[in-house]
Amino acid sequence: MRKHIFNAGPCKLSDSLLKNTAEAILDLNGIGQSILEVSHRGKDFQAVMDETVELMKEVLSIPTGYSVLFLGGGASMQFAMIPYNFLKTKAFYVNTGTWSKKALKEAKLWGEVVEVSSEDKNYTYYPKGYDIPNDVDYVHITTNNTIRGTEIFEDLSVNAPLIADFSSDFLSRPVDVSKYAMIYGGAQKNLGPAGVTFVIIKDSLLEKVVADRKIPTMLQYGTHIDGGSMFNTPPVVNIFAVRETLKWVKSMGGVVAMEKIAKERAELLYNAIDSSNMFESPVVKEDRSRMNIVFVMKDKYKEKEADFIAFAGEKNCVGLKGHRSVGGFRASTYNASTMEDVQALVNAMKDFEAKNA
Ligand code: PMP
């Protein structure tokens, strides 16, 4: 029996991805070779790569003038590559927690960073209504804070190239890609297994690469655009699995359907939290993430947190422990998670409360 998986990433993936990737590992399209054995430059893998890029463009309605890349190094490598390529003097970073902080730490190696932050309230809200200086090289945001459970649902209009870490809410809603100069993230939440990084980059952003800086070849975006993500050997199985996710998202009704289901899942769980006498959400209502639902036990029940994790585990709900920096619980409800998964968790919460409150 498949468990109710609430892991934050790697996380639950679609059944069709698991089945089709497993089959391709044994035999790719009946050619008598595994996806693990074919050349990445041969026609069989090239077809996988081309279809994956085309599906990304289709599913996310990416306008012309953008390239879709699949790279190594995780979103964390992008934290460094972005300022290395584009930070000449000053950049603007919206700091919503751990991941934004890691991104802006790298930026500080290359120039001045102007920051707006929700640290004053322990990252329990998403910053809004700030001014951006008009001389910044770019603006960097993290659309969903995987650890604290805050999310922005709007595509901002800003006066500089907008670069967004979409690691943990990619494909969970329609996005106006034209508002962004670059969208990137690790695949290991809504897109596929860990090991590949997606980058959607506006080709004209390359005009903003800092002219007099010596950047290693592998760390230049132009290298990967020119090489069709094949400058070096790409993570072939991961890209195959990403293609399976994109096919699945499309078959389910695309990002519009993903958003509808995400809202339903989140509503079910947040309603259970808000109506409980035992659990509570630390996040302000309007900024609550649909992907990472963070909750804690009210003070008088705090010592029962470990018991609840064990109790939920007996009901097949796994991956609920909050991030080590926050404590409490985090239910990650990414695209592949179902209403049945969330209902099982809500039932576990209600049963536990009935027994222990
Ligand atoms: N950004 C966000 C929002 C994340 O959630 C994560 C990983 N959980 C990262 C960046 C880092 O990604 P990676 O491990 O792929 O470097």
Side-chain angles (χ1 to χ4, degrees):
M1 183 224 160
R2 216 141 132 63
K3 297 212 167 175
H4 304 295
I5 302 168
F6 295 100
N7 291 325
C11 60
K12 188 173 181 192
L13 296 169
S14 71
D15 291 342
S16 63
L17 176 157
L18 299 179
K19 178 174 172 292
N20 296 343
T21 308
E23 278 173 10
I25 286 177
L26 294 175
D27 191 349
L28 176 65
N29 302 333
I31 62 169
Q33 297 178 76
S34 162
I35 176 93
L36 302 174
E37 296 169 323
V38 296
S39 163
H40 61 293
R41 301 205 184 274
K43 70 174 175 19
D44 295 295
F45 182 71
Q46 187 65 56
V48 173
M49 178 66 107
D50 293 345
E51 193 183 349
T52 312
V53 169
E54 281 317 305
L55 279 165
M56 278 281 268
K57 290 184 175 169
E58 185 185 339
V59 168
L60 212 65
S61 306
I62 300 175
T64 52
Y66 285 79
S67 294
V68 176
L69 307 176
F70 293 106
L71 308 177
S76 302
M77 179 67 99
Q78 296 306 308
F79 295 166
M81 271 175 78
I82 291 161
Y84 209 160
N85 281 261
F86 304 120
L87 206 174
K88 193 163 186 224
T89 50
K90 197 194 278 186
F92 187 86
Y93 276 69
V94 179
N95 173 8
T96 56
T98 309
W99 300 110
S100 320
K101 260 184 149 163
K102 290 193 175 181
L104 70 88
K105 177 172 176 240
E106 300 302 307
K108 283 180 180 164
L109 295 173
W110 296 102
E112 186 189 338
V113 175
V114 183
E115 178 188 337
V116 62
S117 166
S118 52
E119 194 166 10
D120 58 337
K121 291 195 176 142
N122 232 348
Y123 300 112
T124 51
Y125 70 101
Y126 204 99
K128 288 179 208 86
Y130 44 80
D131 290 322
I132 301 172
N134 51 22
D135 58 349
V136 295
D137 296 312
Y138 62 84
V139 172
H140 183 280
I141 62 171
T142 314
T143 50
N144 182 64
N145 178 348
T146 324
I147 293 176
R148 300 279 174 171
T150 60
E151 187 175 4
I152 184 170
F153 301 104
E154 173 196 354
D155 301 312
L156 299 175
S157 297
V158 298
N159 52 358
L162 178 61
I163 299 182
D165 174 357
F166 257 95
S167 290
S168 49
D169 58 350
F170 191 59
L171 300 183
S172 68
R173 66 170 173 89
V175 166
D176 181 354
V177 177
S178 71
K179 294 261 182 81
Y180 300 84
M182 183 174 148
I183 286 173
Y184 71 94
Q188 64 273 18
K189 286 102 163 64
N190 273 339
L191 199 56
V196 66
T197 314
F198 61 91
V199 173
I200 300 166
I201 183 168
K202 196 171 189 173
D203 297 325
S204 61
L205 190 62
L206 290 193
E207 292 158 17
K208 309 249 181 208
V209 173
V210 182
D212 52 0
R213 187 171 292 155
K214 288 182 180 154
I215 305 174
T217 312
M218 262 301 275
L219 302 183
Q220 296 174 26
Y221 289 101
T223 302
H224 300 292
I225 295 175
D226 292 346
S229 300
M230 296 245 210
F231 173 75
N232 70 320
T233 318
V236 289
V237 181
N238 302 69
I239 293 168
F240 182 96
V242 165
R243 185 189 72 172
E244 294 310 306
T245 295
L246 292 164
K247 282 188 189 167
W248 174 79
V249 169
K250 193 177 157 185
S251 75
M252 295 286 287
V255 284
V256 171
M258 290 297 119
E259 181 176 44
K260 182 168 176 284
I261 308 167
K263 282 183 177 167
E264 286 167 8
R265 280 189 312 253
E267 197 180 302
L268 177 60
L269 189 44
Y270 282 121
N271 280 345
I273 295 165
D274 290 340
S275 61
S276 153
N277 289 319
M278 180 176 256
F279 300 96
E280 64 186 353
S281 159
V283 179
V284 302
K285 274 198 174 155
E286 70 268 21
D287 297 330
R288 287 178 176 177
S289 170
R290 297 174 192 145
M291 299 285 107
N292 306 100
I293 298 176
V294 170
F295 56 108
V296 294
M297 271 181 178
K298 293 185 179 173
D299 282 344
K300 71 173 184 176
Y301 298 112
K302 274 265 181 273
E303 81 287 356
K304 295 193 187 295
E305 286 189 346
D307 292 348
F308 175 67
I309 299 268
F311 182 83
E314 286 163 20
K315 312 274 177 196
N316 290 315
C317 296
V318 297
L320 290 167
K321 201 168 183 321
H323 189 270
R324 59 191 180 281
S325 63
V326 182
F329 315 104
R330 170 176 52 174
S332 296
T333 50
Y334 295 117
N335 281 355
S337 113
T338 60
M339 285 298 271
E340 291 71 42
D341 292 328
V342 177
Q343 190 63 58
L345 173 57
V346 167
N347 293 346
M349 290 163 71
K350 292 202 165 135
D351 289 353
F352 188 81
E353 188 168 337
K355 286 199 175 92
N356 292 278

